[in-house]
Amino acid sequence: MTAPPTAIEQRASSVPDAAGNVVVFENVSIGFEDKTVLDRISFRLSKGETKAIFGVAGSGKSTILKLALGLLKPDDGHIYVLGDDVTQMSEDALFELRRKIGMVFQESALFDSLTVRENVAFRLLEEGHVAEDEIEKPVREALSFVELENTVDKFPSELSGGMRRRVAIARAIITHPEILLYDSPTGGLDPVTSTTIIQLIVKQRDVYKTSSLLVTHRLQDAFVMATHYFDRKANEMRPLPPGARSEVPMAFLILRDGKVIFDGDVHELAQSKDEYIREYIS
Amino acid sequence: MELISPTEFAKDTVLAVQDYALLAGRAVVNLFRKPRYFADTIQQADLIGFGSLPIIVLTGLSIGAELALNSANTLQRFGSLSLIGQLVSVGMVRELGPIITGLMVAGRNASGMASELGSMVVTEQIDAMRALGTDPMKKLVTPRVISTTFMLFFLTIISDLLGLFGGAVVSVLLFGLDWHQYWTTAYQALVFQDVFMGLLKPLFFGFIIATVGCFYGMTARGGTQGVGRATTQAVVASSVLILIVDLFITKFLMAVFSYQ
């Protein structure tokens, strides 16, 4: 059995805190229209780790991602991303920070008036560091990663739901961000397409060692991620050998009533005695 | 239907005015800040300016013709039909040209901006843009404000000229007025203050149309129904604002120029 892969390249230096955390939530609270959604939650995301966030609908999972990106401001608490406190940053400073973060939105959020090529290249074109004639190569590479090279000239409306998610992943990874945020990337997709998306996320985790927060309703997706690794030689996801699960940087976080009720790895989750968690994972 | 308390309504209104003022202020400040989206501005100028040309041509011609037709009956009673060119030119250049063009462009473009940006908001495209490190205010709002303000100025000039032409056609064909006499009286009736007033107004109206359209689009909530509501509100609010601002500009300039 091939061992879990190592990074194929050294990632651009991120700025984690002294403990190696790239995202830190400290007593973060937020509410909408007098309803508290997150109530003093705290957790950490280590460098290279993928953390799957679970909870029932409306429990604030997507809100966590928007808070981490600075798209929303918390009512209370602090959020540190790559060493910067996003709760204290101006919008202009946040635009700089967001360039180091990629996000895949729940419904893909592709720009419907732009082609796939323009969508994927959007960040490069906006940053203006790459000449327009040099953009084709990274666009092709990103689309090749999600196996959609033949869609460059199509519009998002011409693609299936699964293809749109994959284009959204390509758009998020084109600049090799240090953190990736996935908002229900497999929501509403058939099992085969879901597996393809999960394989891409595992590939990004194991090949590029990108730190990620993954919001999902589907526990089975996260278990697949915790029990599989990406084999670069075979170019596919494979099950881990027995006893090798701790080698995969995968953690679970469960929300309930605005609080974090579980934060740990797959072994701790399986051994949890909490009735709600037992019911949730059963 | 849920009733809203007067206090809540007042709070929401004040908040909306504050948010609109912030958006309009940022749109102006962004004129002096990088990055500048020149290509987007040109594209919007094409959509707003050239796209509105057919409707402006039609309304300009018909308003000028109708003004001539309606005023001719009254002028005939006093034996002053020769003054028709003067009446049409002053009416079109000072008031009707700017206001009709403003209302037409508001109906066409404030709704377009609100629905386009509103759709982007409800499908998370605006959030995606922010997540990709691009300021939607600079990328989407400022180009629309620049191009609407700039293009409305020229659309108003076109509307004025076509209104005068429409008036001329009616005066010559229906009332037998001499073509040269019409244009001479129309030209001689205009003074600097008339032209200044007529060309200052579209600058304000263009700014109102773009900022109100973008404001309702960027604050759209509640899916497709919310986008529809935002579109309607954008047209109503921009039209009402144009009429109110027109009244104040007219009064203010009359006072400045000591002019009746």
Side-chain angles (χ1 to χ4, degrees):
Chain A
M1 179 70 70
T2 319
T6 51
I8 57 165
E9 59 179 291
Q10 190 65 39
R11 307 290 313 120
S13 63
S14 56
V15 192
D17 64 10
N21 299 308
V22 288
V23 177
V24 178
F25 274 56
E26 275 183 5
N27 300 315
V28 173
S29 302
I30 188 168
F32 301 105
E33 293 173 1
D34 302 330
K35 184 184 176 247
T36 302
V37 174
L38 297 175
D39 186 12
R40 298 176 65 77
I41 67 156
S42 299
F43 71 87
R44 285 153 198 270
L45 176 73
S46 308
K47 191 168 189 290
E49 181 185 43
T50 292
K51 190 171 287 247
I53 303 171
F54 297 96
V56 294
S59 58
K61 304 184 296 295
S62 300
T63 304
I64 287 177
L65 300 189
K66 290 186 177 177
L67 285 166
L69 258 180
L71 296 177
L72 293 173
K73 292 275 183 196
D75 299 331
D76 198 13
H78 292 275
I79 300 162
Y80 299 92
V81 177
L82 297 170
D84 293 317
D85 185 352
V86 297
T87 60
Q88 305 295 318
M89 292 169 78
S90 67
E91 189 71 5
D92 280 340
L94 280 168
F95 284 125
E96 287 302 314
L97 178 68
R98 286 175 192 145
R99 289 178 178 173
K100 299 174 192 166
I101 306 168
M103 177 146 178
V104 178
F105 283 83
Q106 199 164 5
E107 298 296 335
S108 309
L110 297 177
F111 303 120
D112 48 19
S113 56
L114 304 181
T115 61
V116 167
R117 177 190 281 108
E118 291 163 333
N119 263 287
V120 175
F122 187 85
R123 186 173 249 171
L124 294 175
L125 291 167
E126 286 298 310
E127 288 178 5
H129 302 313
V130 185
E132 284 204 34
D133 51 352
E134 291 170 17
I135 276 174
E136 193 66 16
K137 189 170 171 258
V139 167
R140 293 272 175 189
E141 278 173 6
L143 284 171
S144 153
F145 183 85
V146 296
E147 296 171 11
L148 281 177
E149 302 100 306
N150 54 346
T151 61
V152 280
D153 294 317
K154 292 194 170 171
F155 282 92
S157 57
E158 298 173 89
L159 305 176
S160 68
M163 288 162 95
R164 281 203 288 268
R165 299 285 166 88
R166 283 150 69 192
V167 172
I169 292 174
R171 182 176 70 176
I173 62 165
I174 191 164
T175 51
H176 303 294
E178 294 171 43
I179 301 171
L180 271 167
L181 309 172
Y182 300 97
D183 191 356
S184 303
T186 56
L189 299 179
D190 62 87
V192 176
T193 313
S194 295
T195 306
T196 308
I197 301 283
I198 290 300
Q199 180 162 302
L200 290 171
I201 297 170
V202 170
K203 188 175 173 183
Q204 187 67 26
R205 178 193 70 189
D206 293 345
V207 177
Y208 293 99
K209 304 288 183 191
T210 310
S211 316
S212 311
L213 285 175
L214 169 82
V215 163
T216 181
H217 288 287
R218 293 161 56 94
L219 201 61
Q220 66 268 39
D221 287 347
F223 277 125
V224 167
M225 291 178 69
T227 55
H228 288 69
Y229 73 97
F230 192 81
D231 186 339
R232 284 182 55 212
K233 285 180 187 163
N235 196 34
E236 64 179 20
M237 189 169 67
R238 290 199 164 162
L240 282 164
R245 287 184 182 180
S246 58
E247 290 180 38
V248 173
M250 183 76 201
F252 293 75
L253 186 135
I254 301 177
L255 297 170
R256 186 187 183 190
D257 298 332
K259 305 261 190 200
V260 173
I261 59 164
F262 178 84
D263 187 3
D265 65 21
V266 68
H267 303 296
E268 291 166 326
L269 183 66
Q271 288 161 11
S272 173
K273 299 278 187 285
D274 186 290
E275 273 186 36
Y276 180 82
I277 295 172
R278 301 287 333 153
E279 192 183 346
Y280 197 92
I281 63 175
S282 62
Chain B
M1 193 175 133
E2 195 184 341
L3 290 173
I4 304 168
S5 76
T7 326
E8 282 298 312
F9 177 75
K11 264 201 262 182
D12 289 348
T13 308
V14 170
L15 193 66
V17 171
Q18 177 188 293
D19 288 344
Y20 170 73
L22 283 171
L23 180 137
R26 284 182 66 192
V28 173
V29 169
N30 286 341
L31 292 174
F32 309 100
R33 296 171 69 189
K34 285 184 178 179
R36 294 191 183 92
Y37 293 94
F38 188 68
D40 295 75
T41 309
I42 297 294
Q43 188 190 22
Q44 286 302 319
D46 179 46
L47 287 171
I48 295 162
F50 287 94
S52 304
L53 210 50
I55 198 169
I56 296 305
V57 168
L58 278 173
T59 49
L61 271 173
S62 61
I63 290 292
E66 283 156 20
L67 187 62
L69 204 57
N70 282 302
S71 49
N73 281 330
T74 313
L75 291 171
Q76 254 176 339
R77 276 185 232 159
F78 299 102
S80 309
L81 197 61
S82 58
L83 294 176
I84 199 166
Q86 185 176 342
L87 201 142
V88 172
S89 76
V90 173
M92 280 305 295
V93 172
R94 264 172 69 168
E95 198 60 56
L96 286 173
I99 204 118
I100 294 295
T101 311
L103 291 175
M104 284 293 147
V105 174
R108 184 181 180 273
N109 295 301
S111 57
M113 289 176 208
S115 61
E116 187 184 352
L117 299 188
S119 301
M120 290 182 78
V121 168
V122 299
T123 54
E124 291 189 308
Q125 290 178 55
I126 297 289
D127 276 346
M129 194 172 276
R130 291 171 69 200
L132 289 164
T134 297
D135 185 352
M137 286 293 299
K138 287 181 187 163
K139 170 94 177 156
L140 300 173
V141 177
T142 302
R144 282 166 173 76
V145 171
I146 296 170
S147 48
T148 310
T149 309
F150 186 77
M151 294 312 282
L152 195 68
F153 179 83
F154 291 103
L155 287 172
T156 303
I157 294 173
I158 292 168
S159 174
D160 290 346
L161 289 173
L162 287 167
L164 281 167
F165 179 75
V169 171
V170 166
S171 306
V172 173
L173 294 182
L174 297 184
F175 300 103
L177 212 68
D178 180 68
W179 179 264
H180 292 289
Q181 188 188 8
Y182 174 88
W183 283 106
T184 307
T185 53
Y187 175 75
Q188 285 179 343
L190 289 175
V191 291
F192 169 77
Q193 288 92 327
D194 295 323
V195 179
F196 182 80
M197 190 186 285
L199 295 183
L200 182 70
K201 284 176 181 178
L203 300 178
F204 283 88
F205 297 166
F207 184 79
I208 288 168
I209 292 164
T211 49
V212 169
C214 290
F215 169 73
Y216 279 104
M218 297 292 267
T219 54
R221 297 287 179 275
T224 47
Q225 200 177 24
V227 175
R229 201 166 41 241
T231 306
T232 312
Q233 286 172 329
V235 176
V236 173
S238 55
S239 303
V240 170
L241 261 178
I242 284 172
L243 293 170
I244 294 170
V245 168
D246 178 58
L247 181 69
F248 281 102
I249 294 175
T250 307
K251 183 65 195 157
F252 175 75
L253 289 178
M254 280 180 163
V256 167
F257 292 132
S258 307
Y259 169 68
Q260 298 301 310

mmCIF file of all heavy atoms in Angstrom, chain A residues 1-8 202 205-207 209 227-249:
data_model
loop_
_atom_site.group_PDB
_atom_site.id
_atom_site.type_symbol
_atom_site.label_atom_id
_atom_site.label_comp_id
_atom_site.label_asym_id
_atom_site.label_seq_id
_atom_site.Cartn_x
_atom_site.Cartn_y
_atom_site.Cartn_z
ATOM 1 N N MET A 1 0.848 -1.208 0.000
ATOM 2 C CA MET A 1 0.000 0.000 0.000
ATOM 3 C C MET A 1 0.880 1.253 0.000
ATOM 4 O O MET A 1 1.823 1.344 0.765
ATOM 5 C CB MET A 1 -0.889 -0.021 1.246
ATOM 6 C CG MET A 1 -1.803 1.162 1.392
ATOM 7 S SD MET A 1 -3.150 1.235 0.197
ATOM 8 C CE MET A 1 -4.171 -0.122 0.748
ATOM 9 N N THR A 2 0.561 2.157 -0.874
ATOM 10 C CA THR A 2 1.351 3.389 -0.948
ATOM 11 C C THR A 2 1.061 4.262 0.260
ATOM 12 O O THR A 2 -0.084 4.366 0.688
ATOM 13 C CB THR A 2 0.976 4.170 -2.213
ATOM 14 O OG1 THR A 2 0.829 3.247 -3.276
ATOM 15 C CG2 THR A 2 2.009 5.200 -2.563
ATOM 16 N N ALA A 3 2.100 4.858 0.802
ATOM 17 C CA ALA A 3 1.909 5.728 1.974
ATOM 18 C C ALA A 3 1.249 7.028 1.559
ATOM 19 O O ALA A 3 1.315 7.411 0.395
ATOM 20 C CB ALA A 3 3.274 6.027 2.596
ATOM 21 N N PRO A 4 0.574 7.714 2.496
ATOM 22 C CA PRO A 4 -0.001 9.022 2.171
ATOM 23 C C PRO A 4 1.058 9.933 1.566
ATOM 24 O O PRO A 4 2.226 9.897 1.979
ATOM 25 C CB PRO A 4 -0.485 9.535 3.521
ATOM 26 C CG PRO A 4 -0.722 8.316 4.325
ATOM 27 C CD PRO A 4 0.300 7.336 3.875
ATOM 28 N N PRO A 5 0.708 10.724 0.588
ATOM 29 C CA PRO A 5 1.702 11.501 -0.158
ATOM 30 C C PRO A 5 2.252 12.679 0.624
ATOM 31 O O PRO A 5 1.662 13.117 1.600
ATOM 32 C CB PRO A 5 0.896 12.010 -1.352
ATOM 33 C CG PRO A 5 -0.483 12.120 -0.816
ATOM 34 C CD PRO A 5 -0.650 11.013 0.149
ATOM 35 N N THR A 6 3.363 13.142 0.158
ATOM 36 C CA THR A 6 3.923 14.381 0.711
ATOM 37 C C THR A 6 3.625 15.490 -0.288
ATOM 38 O O THR A 6 3.265 15.226 -1.419
ATOM 39 C CB THR A 6 5.449 14.262 0.893
ATOM 40 O OG1 THR A 6 5.978 13.807 -0.342
ATOM 41 C CG2 THR A 6 5.788 13.298 1.998
ATOM 42 N N ALA A 7 3.816 16.727 0.137
ATOM 43 C CA ALA A 7 3.517 17.867 -0.740
ATOM 44 C C ALA A 7 4.432 17.830 -1.947
ATOM 45 O O ALA A 7 5.601 17.485 -1.831
ATOM 46 C CB ALA A 7 3.714 19.159 0.010
ATOM 47 N N ILE A 8 3.881 18.159 -3.115
ATOM 48 C CA ILE A 8 4.716 18.146 -4.322
ATOM 49 C C ILE A 8 5.527 19.428 -4.429
ATOM 50 O O ILE A 8 6.444 19.537 -5.186
ATOM 51 C CB ILE A 8 3.876 17.958 -5.602
ATOM 52 C CG1 ILE A 8 2.819 19.044 -5.709
ATOM 53 C CG2 ILE A 8 3.273 16.592 -5.648
ATOM 54 C CD1 ILE A 8 2.213 19.116 -7.089
ATOM 55 N N VAL A 202 -9.840 15.993 -1.225
ATOM 56 C CA VAL A 202 -8.784 15.156 -0.626
ATOM 57 C C VAL A 202 -7.467 15.384 -1.371
ATOM 58 O O VAL A 202 -6.393 15.480 -0.770
ATOM 59 C CB VAL A 202 -9.203 13.663 -0.661
ATOM 60 C CG1 VAL A 202 -8.037 12.759 -0.286
ATOM 61 C CG2 VAL A 202 -10.371 13.427 0.290
ATOM 62 N N ARG A 205 -6.031 18.559 -0.253
ATOM 63 C CA ARG A 205 -5.510 18.423 1.105
ATOM 64 C C ARG A 205 -4.179 17.676 1.109
ATOM 65 O O ARG A 205 -3.216 18.106 1.740
ATOM 66 C CB ARG A 205 -6.529 17.648 1.965
ATOM 67 C CG ARG A 205 -6.083 17.399 3.386
ATOM 68 C CD ARG A 205 -6.971 16.377 4.081
ATOM 69 N NE ARG A 205 -6.771 15.022 3.533
ATOM 70 C CZ ARG A 205 -7.530 13.972 3.827
ATOM 71 N NH1 ARG A 205 -8.559 14.109 4.639
ATOM 72 N NH2 ARG A 205 -7.281 12.778 3.299
ATOM 73 N N ASP A 206 -4.113 16.539 0.383
ATOM 74 C CA ASP A 206 -2.941 15.670 0.481
ATOM 75 C C ASP A 206 -1.811 16.060 -0.463
ATOM 76 O O ASP A 206 -0.651 15.817 -0.166
ATOM 77 C CB ASP A 206 -3.356 14.215 0.209
ATOM 78 C CG ASP A 206 -4.256 13.684 1.302
ATOM 79 O OD1 ASP A 206 -4.312 14.323 2.373
ATOM 80 O OD2 ASP A 206 -4.919 12.649 1.096
ATOM 81 N N VAL A 207 -2.144 16.651 -1.589
ATOM 82 C CA VAL A 207 -1.095 16.997 -2.552
ATOM 83 C C VAL A 207 -0.552 18.399 -2.271
ATOM 84 O O VAL A 207 0.647 18.616 -2.239
ATOM 85 C CB VAL A 207 -1.617 16.885 -4.001
ATOM 86 C CG1 VAL A 207 -0.557 17.324 -4.989
ATOM 87 C CG2 VAL A 207 -2.057 15.452 -4.289
ATOM 88 N N LYS A 209 -1.423 20.248 0.522
ATOM 89 C CA LYS A 209 -1.367 20.484 1.977
ATOM 90 C C LYS A 209 -2.074 21.776 2.370
ATOM 91 O O LYS A 209 -1.599 22.524 3.223
ATOM 92 C CB LYS A 209 0.091 20.533 2.464
ATOM 93 C CG LYS A 209 0.918 19.308 2.135
ATOM 94 C CD LYS A 209 0.509 18.135 2.980
ATOM 95 C CE LYS A 209 1.395 16.916 2.699
ATOM 96 N NZ LYS A 209 0.871 15.705 3.305
ATOM 97 N N THR A 227 -10.843 8.640 6.073
ATOM 98 C CA THR A 227 -10.374 7.256 5.917
ATOM 99 C C THR A 227 -9.690 7.011 4.568
ATOM 100 O O THR A 227 -9.396 5.869 4.233
ATOM 101 C CB THR A 227 -11.574 6.277 6.054
ATOM 102 O OG1 THR A 227 -12.578 6.659 5.110
ATOM 103 C CG2 THR A 227 -12.148 6.298 7.456
ATOM 104 N N HIS A 228 -9.513 8.079 3.803
ATOM 105 C CA HIS A 228 -8.867 7.930 2.494
ATOM 106 C C HIS A 228 -7.734 8.945 2.324
ATOM 107 O O HIS A 228 -7.690 9.960 3.019
ATOM 108 C CB HIS A 228 -9.887 8.143 1.358
ATOM 109 C CG HIS A 228 -10.864 7.020 1.225
ATOM 110 N ND1 HIS A 228 -11.827 6.754 2.165
ATOM 111 C CD2 HIS A 228 -11.018 6.078 0.236
ATOM 112 C CE1 HIS A 228 -12.538 5.707 1.778
ATOM 113 N NE2 HIS A 228 -12.075 5.280 0.617
ATOM 114 N N TYR A 229 -6.869 8.663 1.417
ATOM 115 C CA TYR A 229 -5.820 9.618 1.051
ATOM 116 C C TYR A 229 -5.733 9.655 -0.471
ATOM 117 O O TYR A 229 -6.294 8.782 -1.152
ATOM 118 C CB TYR A 229 -4.468 9.204 1.655
ATOM 119 C CG TYR A 229 -3.833 8.017 0.974
ATOM 120 C CD1 TYR A 229 -2.866 8.188 -0.018
ATOM 121 C CD2 TYR A 229 -4.221 6.716 1.314
ATOM 122 C CE1 TYR A 229 -2.309 7.086 -0.658
ATOM 123 C CE2 TYR A 229 -3.672 5.635 0.679
ATOM 124 C CZ TYR A 229 -2.716 5.824 -0.302
ATOM 125 O OH TYR A 229 -2.176 4.734 -0.956
ATOM 126 N N PHE A 230 -5.038 10.648 -0.992
ATOM 127 C CA PHE A 230 -4.929 10.737 -2.453
ATOM 128 C C PHE A 230 -3.603 10.152 -2.912
ATOM 129 O O PHE A 230 -2.525 10.607 -2.491
ATOM 130 C CB PHE A 230 -5.055 12.187 -2.919
ATOM 131 C CG PHE A 230 -5.239 12.287 -4.405
ATOM 132 C CD1 PHE A 230 -6.485 12.089 -4.971
ATOM 133 C CD2 PHE A 230 -4.157 12.521 -5.244
ATOM 134 C CE1 PHE A 230 -6.666 12.140 -6.347
ATOM 135 C CE2 PHE A 230 -4.315 12.575 -6.619
ATOM 136 C CZ PHE A 230 -5.575 12.386 -7.169
ATOM 137 N N ASP A 231 -3.702 9.152 -3.761
ATOM 138 C CA ASP A 231 -2.509 8.500 -4.313
ATOM 139 C C ASP A 231 -2.122 9.228 -5.595
ATOM 140 O O ASP A 231 -2.835 9.144 -6.603
ATOM 141 C CB ASP A 231 -2.822 7.021 -4.587
ATOM 142 C CG ASP A 231 -1.581 6.257 -5.036
ATOM 143 O OD1 ASP A 231 -0.625 6.901 -5.509
ATOM 144 O OD2 ASP A 231 -1.579 5.023 -4.902
ATOM 145 N N ARG A 232 -1.016 9.942 -5.553
ATOM 146 C CA ARG A 232 -0.620 10.752 -6.715
ATOM 147 C C ARG A 232 -0.244 9.894 -7.911
ATOM 148 O O ARG A 232 -0.497 10.268 -9.052
ATOM 149 C CB ARG A 232 0.558 11.657 -6.349
ATOM 150 C CG ARG A 232 0.131 12.862 -5.517
ATOM 151 C CD ARG A 232 1.310 13.743 -5.226
ATOM 152 N NE ARG A 232 1.987 14.153 -6.436
ATOM 153 C CZ ARG A 232 3.285 14.369 -6.521
ATOM 154 N NH1 ARG A 232 4.044 14.200 -5.470
ATOM 155 N NH2 ARG A 232 3.828 14.754 -7.652
ATOM 156 N N LYS A 233 0.376 8.750 -7.620
ATOM 157 C CA LYS A 233 0.806 7.903 -8.742
ATOM 158 C C LYS A 233 -0.402 7.359 -9.507
ATOM 159 O O LYS A 233 -0.434 7.354 -10.734
ATOM 160 C CB LYS A 233 1.670 6.755 -8.224
ATOM 161 C CG LYS A 233 3.064 7.224 -7.844
ATOM 162 C CD LYS A 233 3.901 6.075 -7.342
ATOM 163 C CE LYS A 233 5.230 6.590 -6.813
ATOM 164 N NZ LYS A 233 5.898 5.606 -5.971
ATOM 165 N N ALA A 234 -1.369 6.895 -8.753
ATOM 166 C CA ALA A 234 -2.572 6.340 -9.391
ATOM 167 C C ALA A 234 -3.564 7.433 -9.769
ATOM 168 O O ALA A 234 -4.526 7.171 -10.486
ATOM 169 C CB ALA A 234 -3.242 5.363 -8.435
ATOM 170 N N ASN A 235 -3.325 8.641 -9.275
ATOM 171 C CA ASN A 235 -4.208 9.793 -9.495
ATOM 172 C C ASN A 235 -5.644 9.495 -9.076
ATOM 173 O O ASN A 235 -6.594 9.808 -9.779
ATOM 174 C CB ASN A 235 -4.156 10.250 -10.965
ATOM 175 C CG ASN A 235 -4.743 11.652 -11.129
ATOM 176 O OD1 ASN A 235 -4.606 12.485 -10.228
ATOM 177 N ND2 ASN A 235 -5.412 11.903 -12.236
ATOM 178 N N GLU A 236 -5.744 8.883 -7.901
ATOM 179 C CA GLU A 236 -7.098 8.627 -7.366
ATOM 180 C C GLU A 236 -7.053 8.504 -5.845
ATOM 181 O O GLU A 236 -5.984 8.323 -5.249
ATOM 182 C CB GLU A 236 -7.695 7.361 -7.995
ATOM 183 C CG GLU A 236 -6.948 6.103 -7.657
ATOM 184 C CD GLU A 236 -7.590 4.864 -8.270
ATOM 185 O OE1 GLU A 236 -8.358 5.006 -9.231
ATOM 186 O OE2 GLU A 236 -7.296 3.762 -7.777
ATOM 187 N N MET A 237 -8.233 8.581 -5.257
ATOM 188 C CA MET A 237 -8.354 8.494 -3.805
ATOM 189 C C MET A 237 -8.368 7.019 -3.410
ATOM 190 O O MET A 237 -9.047 6.214 -4.053
ATOM 191 C CB MET A 237 -9.660 9.182 -3.410
ATOM 192 C CG MET A 237 -9.870 9.393 -1.960
ATOM 193 S SD MET A 237 -11.290 10.498 -1.681
ATOM 194 C CE MET A 237 -12.650 9.493 -2.245
ATOM 195 N N ARG A 238 -7.616 6.688 -2.335
ATOM 196 C CA ARG A 238 -7.574 5.289 -1.915
ATOM 197 C C ARG A 238 -7.783 5.189 -0.410
ATOM 198 O O ARG A 238 -7.430 6.114 0.329
ATOM 199 C CB ARG A 238 -6.207 4.686 -2.261
ATOM 200 C CG ARG A 238 -6.035 4.513 -3.741
ATOM 201 C CD ARG A 238 -4.952 3.545 -4.054
ATOM 202 N NE ARG A 238 -5.038 3.107 -5.441
ATOM 203 C CZ ARG A 238 -4.055 2.542 -6.077
ATOM 204 N NH1 ARG A 238 -2.902 2.329 -5.479
ATOM 205 N NH2 ARG A 238 -4.199 2.162 -7.330
ATOM 206 N N PRO A 239 -8.311 4.035 0.051
ATOM 207 C CA PRO A 239 -8.501 3.894 1.510
ATOM 208 C C PRO A 239 -7.168 3.809 2.230
ATOM 209 O O PRO A 239 -6.196 3.277 1.681
ATOM 210 C CB PRO A 239 -9.276 2.579 1.641
ATOM 211 C CG PRO A 239 -9.560 2.097 0.281
ATOM 212 C CD PRO A 239 -8.763 2.879 -0.703
ATOM 213 N N LEU A 240 -7.136 4.358 3.431
ATOM 214 C CA LEU A 240 -5.911 4.284 4.231
ATOM 215 C C LEU A 240 -5.711 2.853 4.718
ATOM 216 O O LEU A 240 -6.685 2.138 4.962
ATOM 217 C CB LEU A 240 -6.043 5.192 5.452
ATOM 218 C CG LEU A 240 -5.846 6.680 5.232
ATOM 219 C CD1 LEU A 240 -6.391 7.449 6.420
ATOM 220 C CD2 LEU A 240 -4.382 7.000 5.031
ATOM 221 N N PRO A 241 -4.454 2.449 4.884
ATOM 222 C CA PRO A 241 -4.234 1.121 5.474
ATOM 223 C C PRO A 241 -4.710 1.113 6.921
ATOM 224 O O PRO A 241 -4.724 2.166 7.564
ATOM 225 C CB PRO A 241 -2.712 0.941 5.389
ATOM 226 C CG PRO A 241 -2.160 2.297 5.201
ATOM 227 C CD PRO A 241 -3.200 3.131 4.545
ATOM 228 N N PRO A 242 -5.101 -0.034 7.462
ATOM 229 C CA PRO A 242 -5.574 -0.087 8.844
ATOM 230 C C PRO A 242 -4.530 0.493 9.800
ATOM 231 O O PRO A 242 -3.345 0.223 9.669
ATOM 232 C CB PRO A 242 -5.760 -1.593 9.103
ATOM 233 C CG PRO A 242 -5.912 -2.192 7.751
ATOM 234 C CD PRO A 242 -5.114 -1.355 6.820
ATOM 235 N N GLY A 243 -4.978 1.310 10.733
ATOM 236 C CA GLY A 243 -4.078 1.898 11.728
ATOM 237 C C GLY A 243 -3.379 3.153 11.264
ATOM 238 O O GLY A 243 -2.598 3.753 12.001
ATOM 239 N N ALA A 244 -3.653 3.605 10.037
ATOM 240 C CA ALA A 244 -2.948 4.784 9.508
ATOM 241 C C ALA A 244 -3.821 6.035 9.535
ATOM 242 O O ALA A 244 -3.468 7.052 8.982
ATOM 243 C CB ALA A 244 -2.496 4.515 8.076
ATOM 244 N N ARG A 245 -4.989 5.960 10.189
ATOM 245 C CA ARG A 245 -5.928 7.079 10.120
ATOM 246 C C ARG A 245 -5.380 8.365 10.721
ATOM 247 O O ARG A 245 -5.714 9.449 10.264
ATOM 248 C CB ARG A 245 -7.238 6.707 10.811
ATOM 249 C CG ARG A 245 -8.020 5.737 9.962
ATOM 250 C CD ARG A 245 -9.348 5.418 10.547
ATOM 251 N NE ARG A 245 -10.020 4.437 9.699
ATOM 252 C CZ ARG A 245 -11.208 3.943 9.933
ATOM 253 N NH1 ARG A 245 -11.870 4.305 11.007
ATOM 254 N NH2 ARG A 245 -11.741 3.079 9.119
ATOM 255 N N SER A 246 -4.553 8.245 11.748
ATOM 256 C CA SER A 246 -4.043 9.460 12.393
ATOM 257 C C SER A 246 -3.105 10.222 11.463
ATOM 258 O O SER A 246 -2.771 11.372 11.709
ATOM 259 C CB SER A 246 -3.334 9.111 13.696
ATOM 260 O OG SER A 246 -2.295 8.205 13.407
ATOM 261 N N GLU A 247 -2.696 9.571 10.351
ATOM 262 C CA GLU A 247 -1.778 10.269 9.439
ATOM 263 C C GLU A 247 -2.522 11.272 8.551
ATOM 264 O O GLU A 247 -1.900 12.094 7.889
ATOM 265 C CB GLU A 247 -1.056 9.245 8.557
ATOM 266 C CG GLU A 247 -0.061 8.404 9.344
ATOM 267 C CD GLU A 247 0.640 7.403 8.456
ATOM 268 O OE1 GLU A 247 0.945 7.761 7.310
ATOM 269 O OE2 GLU A 247 0.867 6.272 8.899
ATOM 270 N N VAL A 248 -3.829 11.182 8.520
ATOM 271 C CA VAL A 248 -4.600 12.125 7.710
ATOM 272 C C VAL A 248 -5.003 13.319 8.575
ATOM 273 O O VAL A 248 -5.612 13.137 9.627
ATOM 274 C CB VAL A 248 -5.867 11.442 7.137
ATOM 275 C CG1 VAL A 248 -6.748 12.460 6.458
ATOM 276 C CG2 VAL A 248 -5.463 10.356 6.169
ATOM 277 N N PRO A 249 -4.634 14.552 8.145
ATOM 278 C CA PRO A 249 -4.945 15.732 8.970
ATOM 279 C C PRO A 249 -6.399 16.146 8.847
ATOM 280 O O PRO A 249 -6.744 17.071 8.132
ATOM 281 C CB PRO A 249 -4.004 16.795 8.413
ATOM 282 C CG PRO A 249 -3.804 16.403 6.988
ATOM 283 C CD PRO A 249 -3.924 14.918 6.913
#
